[in-house]
């Protein structure tokens, strides 16, 4: 029997799934990317798709060549072997063709690489420090009456303290809060050993190296909560120092930062 309420609801659900709900945390058995929230991550996904085209064509061509070769030059099929050892034309073709493919790939790849490296006059600078085993964030653009900047630690919420709906091994007690549609500079360093500050949806993976400042930037296009993890083996609790970035509208960010300053 036709269920009319389902008929009405499904197009809306489809709309919701494809336009409103975003995947900014890993899922079980996930193969693809998380949804992009920055232009850089969109670029990374597009480059991946471009490369997949070439990879598929090459894979099909090489498999076809290999199977044809194995079939036709097998000893029962081809009793008298050819004495041919080389042919100039074919060698030119199979050298130049891959070189051209690499050149075609290099163009979008380099433009993305330079785009990722570009720091566009940032409105906010946030310092991220990796520790064994937690992250700490410092908003040094703002000072309170005592001349202190906003600085806090961000620890993973242990499994037994999780609330319903919170993500295991990914939720933290104090998130990094940032405004959307703003150029933000992130300065990454470490206090003890190597760590790496990585968030898939934002297209960021920046090594945190003791005694060195690494710089990256982000421009988040939509509100959301973005989950990431430390991505450099840093000791026993490497898997337990997740990263959570909460992107909010600018007025909400201003409220948040002024509350933090008056704490
Ligand atoms: Cu910190 Cu791995």
């Amino acid at each position: 029997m036709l269920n009319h309420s389902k008929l009405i609801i499904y197009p809306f659900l489809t709309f919701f799934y494809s336009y409103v709900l975003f995947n900014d945390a890993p899922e079980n058995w996930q193969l693809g990317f998380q949804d992009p929230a920055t232009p850089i991550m969109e670029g990374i996904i597009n480059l991946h798709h471009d490369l997949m085209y070439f990879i598929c064509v090459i894979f099909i061509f090489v498999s076809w060549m290999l199977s044809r070769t194995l079939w036709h030059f097998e000893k029962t099929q081809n009793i008298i072997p050819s004495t041919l050892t080389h042919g100039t034309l074919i060698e030119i073709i199979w050298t130049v063709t891959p070189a051209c493919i690499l050149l075609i790939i290099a163009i979008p790849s380099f433009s993305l690489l330079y785009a990722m490296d570009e720091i566009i006059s940032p409105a906010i600078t946030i310092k991220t420090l990796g520790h064994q085993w937690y992250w700490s964030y410092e908003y040094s653009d703002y000072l309170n009456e005592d001349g202190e900047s906003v600085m806090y630690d961000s620890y993973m919420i242990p499994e037994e303290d999780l609330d319903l709906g919170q993500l295991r091994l990914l939720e933290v007690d104090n998130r990094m809060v940032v405004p959307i549609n703003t150029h933000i500079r992130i300065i990454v360093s470490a206090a003890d050993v190597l760590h790496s500050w990585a968030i898939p949806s934002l297209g960021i993976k920046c090594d945190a190296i003791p005694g060195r400042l690494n710089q990256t930037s982000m421009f988040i296009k939509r509100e959301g909560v973005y989950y990431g993890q430390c991505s450099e083996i840093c000791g026993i609790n490497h898997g337990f120092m997740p990263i959570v970035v909460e992107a909010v509208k600018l007025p909400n960010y201003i409220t948040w930062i002024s509350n933090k300053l008056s704490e």
Side-chain angles (χ1 to χ4, degrees):
M1 207 183 78
L2 251 171
N3 186 329
H4 285 271
S5 65
K6 267 186 187 168
L7 261 180
I8 296 161
I9 251 171
Y10 277 171
F12 286 101
L13 272 183
T14 319
F15 175 83
F16 253 73
Y17 271 92
S18 45
Y19 295 103
V20 179
L21 296 178
F22 290 102
N23 175 21
D24 300 319
E27 317 180 285
N28 289 336
W29 304 103
Q30 183 172 355
L31 287 176
F33 289 104
Q34 293 172 32
D35 290 321
T38 59
I40 290 296
M41 192 58 205
E42 286 169 2
I44 292 171
I45 291 176
N46 286 334
L47 180 75
H48 167 266
H49 292 348
D50 292 346
L51 295 185
M52 273 313 261
Y53 168 76
F54 291 101
I55 289 169
C56 291
V57 171
I58 292 167
F59 176 76
I60 291 165
F61 176 69
V62 171
S63 312
W64 177 79
M65 274 255 292
L66 193 62
S67 52
R68 294 281 290 180
T69 311
L70 289 173
W71 176 253
H72 285 291
F73 295 94
E74 197 254 334
K75 68 177 175 195
T76 52
Q77 297 252 28
N78 192 46
I79 301 161
I80 305 146
S82 159
T83 52
L84 192 78
T85 52
H86 56 265
T88 313
L89 180 66
I90 190 73
E91 282 169 18
I92 288 171
I93 292 171
W94 74 43
T95 308
V96 170
T97 315
C100 290
I101 295 173
L102 287 179
L103 278 177
I104 294 166
I105 289 173
I107 295 162
S109 175
F110 274 101
S111 66
L112 180 66
L113 200 65
Y114 287 120
M116 292 171 80
D117 212 33
E118 189 78 30
I119 308 278
I120 308 155
S121 56
I124 300 166
T125 301
I126 304 169
K127 193 172 153 193
T128 295
L129 213 56
H131 304 258
Q132 280 177 317
W133 287 275
Y134 62 96
W135 293 96
S136 66
Y137 301 118
E138 187 180 341
Y139 293 66
S140 38
D141 291 341
Y142 321 98
L143 296 174
N144 65 10
E145 286 119 37
D146 306 328
E148 291 162 344
S149 59
V150 172
M151 199 176 170
Y152 58 91
D153 297 337
S154 179
Y155 281 89
M156 186 191 79
I157 297 178
E159 210 172 328
E160 56 271 22
D161 296 341
L162 284 177
D163 287 332
L164 193 67
Q166 286 190 322
L167 299 167
R168 183 179 150 267
L169 304 182
L170 284 176
E171 205 66 61
V172 298
D173 54 358
N174 294 305
R175 294 165 168 178
M176 174 194 269
V177 179
V178 292
I180 55 165
N181 295 329
T182 310
H183 288 287
I184 300 160
R185 168 171 37 208
I186 308 281
I187 304 259
V188 183
S189 190
D192 34 49
V193 298
L194 291 171
H195 300 271
S196 178
W197 201 75
I199 300 161
S201 277
L202 306 183
I204 292 178
K205 180 169 281 175
C206 191
D207 280 350
I209 300 164
R212 184 192 152 110
L213 288 178
N214 274 343
Q215 186 176 231
T216 185
S217 64
M218 61 186 184
F219 182 89
I220 304 178
K221 289 166 76 177
R222 57 182 166 84
E223 286 174 279
V225 181
Y226 305 99
Y227 291 89
Q229 288 171 299
C230 178
S231 297
E232 178 71 60
I233 301 286
C234 55
I236 48 163
N237 286 337
H238 160 65
F240 309 103
M241 49 181 298
I243 300 146
V244 185
V245 171
E246 187 175 341
V248 296
K249 288 208 178 84
L250 190 61
N252 297 344
Y253 170 75
I254 292 166
T255 313
W256 176 83
I257 196 79
S258 40
N259 286 340
K260 273 278 180 197
L261 276 170
S262 54
E263 255 174 27

